[in-house]
Amino acid sequence: MTAINENFQKLPGSYLFSEIARRVAAYEQEHPDKKLIRLGIGDVTRPLPEAVTAAMHRAVDDMATAGGFHGYGPEQGYDFLREAIARCDYQARNVDIQPGEIFVSDGAKSDCGNIVDLFARENRVAVCDPVYPVYVDTNAMAGRAGDYDEAAGRWTNLIYMPCIAENGFIPAIPEGKADMIYLCFPNNPTGAVATRAQLQAWVNYANANGSVILFDAAYEAFITTPGIPHSIFEIPGAETCAIEFRSFSKTAGFTGTRCAYTVVPKALERGGASLNSLWNRRQCTKFNGVPYVVQRGAEAVYSDEGRAQVRETLDYYLNNARVIREGLTAAGLTVSGGVDSPYVWARTPAGMPSWDFFDRLLRRANVVTTPGAGFGPSGEGYIRLTGFGEATATQEAVRRIKSAL
Ligand code: MLT
């Protein structure tokens, strides 16, 4: 009899966004006449920038010629894209990241999940609470999270770092030793950002303790406040303790197109091993690279035209986030995020449980949100809304929410 990975049996119910989709589908089936507005999962709605689609068309034409055809690409990504990323996302900000430290992939979600392959099972993992569930679930699958305590909504072996209103949604450094530390700024789900000094404290801790920071910067393009770091590598010392995940999904509309990248500095070593080499080994074994056509599209994000078009889209989403933030505040809810982030984090009225408020908004307002409790125990009493919707639908959603309170 084949034995399965018993850790999968410890996972509670379904993945957060699958559970939401299930509830929404059930509601739609009962009420096919209702027009739902979806501000739940952070999926983009604006089309790909024209510069991107034009580059992809040219790349498709390349593929139709003997000279321009591309079969298996380099597992790490084509040089043209790795060079553009290093130059435009790092060196332009005076951060010394080289193309050989960049690994192009099909998504920050997969990379955040796959990176756990590099680390021994006995490492202690620290996560923010609330947290993007991928970090928790993938460590649970790898047997690093212990057992799930249903009543407490926590895993026994994880270190939870509460991100609550009282600490401005910024985690305090834990007292115990954490080996793998997940940080995400701008934060999903709270929309909070970390200052240079706050990140420096984490880098100092990680270097002093031999820990690794797994820094999810998928939302960095939404930062509007001057002086807020866009990358952990803007912080001195990060190159010896951090890995960074970035994505074209939310920045340039690639949620369905799939392109992202992970930066593993060559200076990052643990146990005498180079993590850059280990990740390279892992990717070469398990991954065959992102399609040529998609990488040409991603490269076009860095053209003058591409940058201007991406900026326009980011402003569109940030304006939606402002509409949600201001509308819900005017309706008397306590709201944060939505300034340097597409996500708005709102307290439920009168301490109502998150899932109850989610259900109320689904049924009374026909608006889909994400219940904060789905992101961890400290998310209880909150909901998350995204600015990724269509502008008029977002305005309508805010109007409906106000009358459903
Ligand atoms: C979210 O809604 O948190 C994100 O869209 C999920 C993801 O990027 O995988």
Side-chain angles (χ1 to χ4, degrees):
M1 171 94 132
T2 306
I4 57 146
N5 177 350
E6 61 184 13
N7 297 310
F8 277 72
Q9 287 175 310
K10 297 182 182 176
L11 290 166
S14 53
Y15 179 61
L16 172 61
F17 292 104
S18 317
E19 172 60 18
I20 292 170
R22 193 191 61 75
R23 290 192 187 210
V24 170
Y27 179 78
E28 275 183 313
Q29 204 164 11
E30 275 170 43
H31 305 276
D33 53 313
K34 301 286 186 196
K35 272 203 160 339
L36 297 189
I37 301 177
R38 294 167 199 275
L39 302 182
I41 191 165
D43 195 5
V44 295
T45 53
R46 303 297 296 155
L48 289 169
E50 242 176 79
V52 168
T53 52
M56 290 170 82
H57 281 294
R58 287 193 298 272
V60 169
D61 289 340
D62 288 349
M63 294 292 279
T65 65
F69 173 76
H70 288 73
Y72 289 130
E75 295 90 345
Q76 308 79 3
Y78 286 103
D79 284 347
F80 62 77
L81 181 54
R82 299 172 91 194
E83 280 162 13
I85 292 168
R87 196 174 56 249
C88 303
D89 284 345
Y90 293 99
Q91 293 159 11
R93 288 185 180 277
N94 295 321
V95 177
D96 181 22
I97 292 294
Q98 298 299 318
E101 300 177 302
I102 294 165
F103 295 83
V104 175
S105 76
D106 66 346
K109 177 180 180 176
S110 2
D111 283 356
C112 286
N114 292 331
I115 201 79
V116 302
D117 282 4
L118 305 195
F119 300 101
R121 185 174 152 165
E122 52 275 16
N123 282 303
R124 289 301 305 278
V125 176
V127 292
C128 292
D129 171 26
V131 64
Y132 179 44
V134 171
Y135 318 145
V136 170
D137 288 5
T138 54
N139 276 291
M141 290 170 185
R144 216 174 275 117
D147 294 305
Y148 188 64
D149 177 345
E150 195 90 41
R154 292 163 166 265
W155 289 87
T156 51
N157 278 0
L158 295 186
I159 300 169
Y160 287 87
M161 305 182 293
C163 297
I164 48 179
E166 290 70 21
N167 59 19
F169 303 103
I170 301 296
I173 289 176
E175 278 168 21
K177 188 166 162 303
D179 303 303
M180 297 162 60
I181 302 159
Y182 286 86
L183 296 177
C184 172
F185 292 109
N187 186 260
N188 179 12
T190 67
V193 285
T195 63
R196 198 167 291 278
Q198 286 162 338
L199 292 181
Q200 186 70 65
W202 279 106
V203 166
N204 294 348
Y205 171 89
N207 277 323
N209 289 282
S211 322
V212 173
I213 296 174
L214 300 159
F215 192 80
D216 185 347
Y219 300 95
E220 63 77 32
F222 291 88
I223 294 173
T224 55
T225 304
I228 295 294
H230 287 239
S231 165
I232 191 73
F233 299 118
E234 290 179 47
I235 309 302
E239 66 286 355
T240 53
C241 68
I243 291 174
E244 179 162 290
F245 306 96
R246 289 228 192 160
S247 174
F248 294 96
S249 282
K250 317 293 161 112
T251 309
F254 276 58
T255 50
T257 308
R258 311 307 305 151
C259 196
Y261 62 89
T262 288
V263 180
V264 190
K266 294 220 165 135
L268 176 57
E269 291 187 356
R270 289 293 178 268
S274 153
L275 270 67
N276 181 290
S277 302
L278 296 187
W279 184 241
N280 187 52
R281 184 73 176 82
R282 190 251 174 234
Q283 292 298 80
C284 291
T285 305
K286 295 196 181 182
F287 185 56
N288 257 338
V290 174
Y292 169 72
V293 173
V294 171
Q295 293 195 55
R296 279 294 183 201
E299 181 193 25
V301 166
Y302 299 103
S303 64
D304 289 347
E305 212 194 350
R307 282 171 197 265
Q309 292 163 0
V310 164
R311 189 64 259 162
E312 216 174 290
T313 303
L314 294 172
D315 289 344
Y316 178 97
Y317 293 139
L318 281 169
N319 191 53
N320 285 344
R322 182 188 58 76
V323 165
I324 298 170
R325 187 166 41 84
E326 292 179 358
L328 298 191
T329 305
L333 294 186
T334 304
V335 173
S336 58
V339 174
D340 295 299
S341 160
Y343 294 128
V344 176
W345 190 238
R347 272 209 94 98
T348 60
M352 185 185 286
S354 299
W355 279 105
D356 290 0
F357 193 45
F358 165 87
D359 280 330
R360 178 194 283 201
L361 294 182
L362 178 62
R363 287 167 190 283
R364 288 200 198 164
N366 297 149
V367 174
V368 181
T369 59
T370 307
F375 294 103
S378 296
E380 181 54 282
Y382 287 87
I383 55 159
R384 191 196 74 175
L385 301 103
T386 95
F388 286 124
E390 200 272 318
T392 47
T394 302
Q395 287 160 13
E396 169 65 10
V398 170
R399 200 190 54 71
R400 289 191 201 169
I401 292 173
K402 281 180 178 170
S403 46
L405 289 177

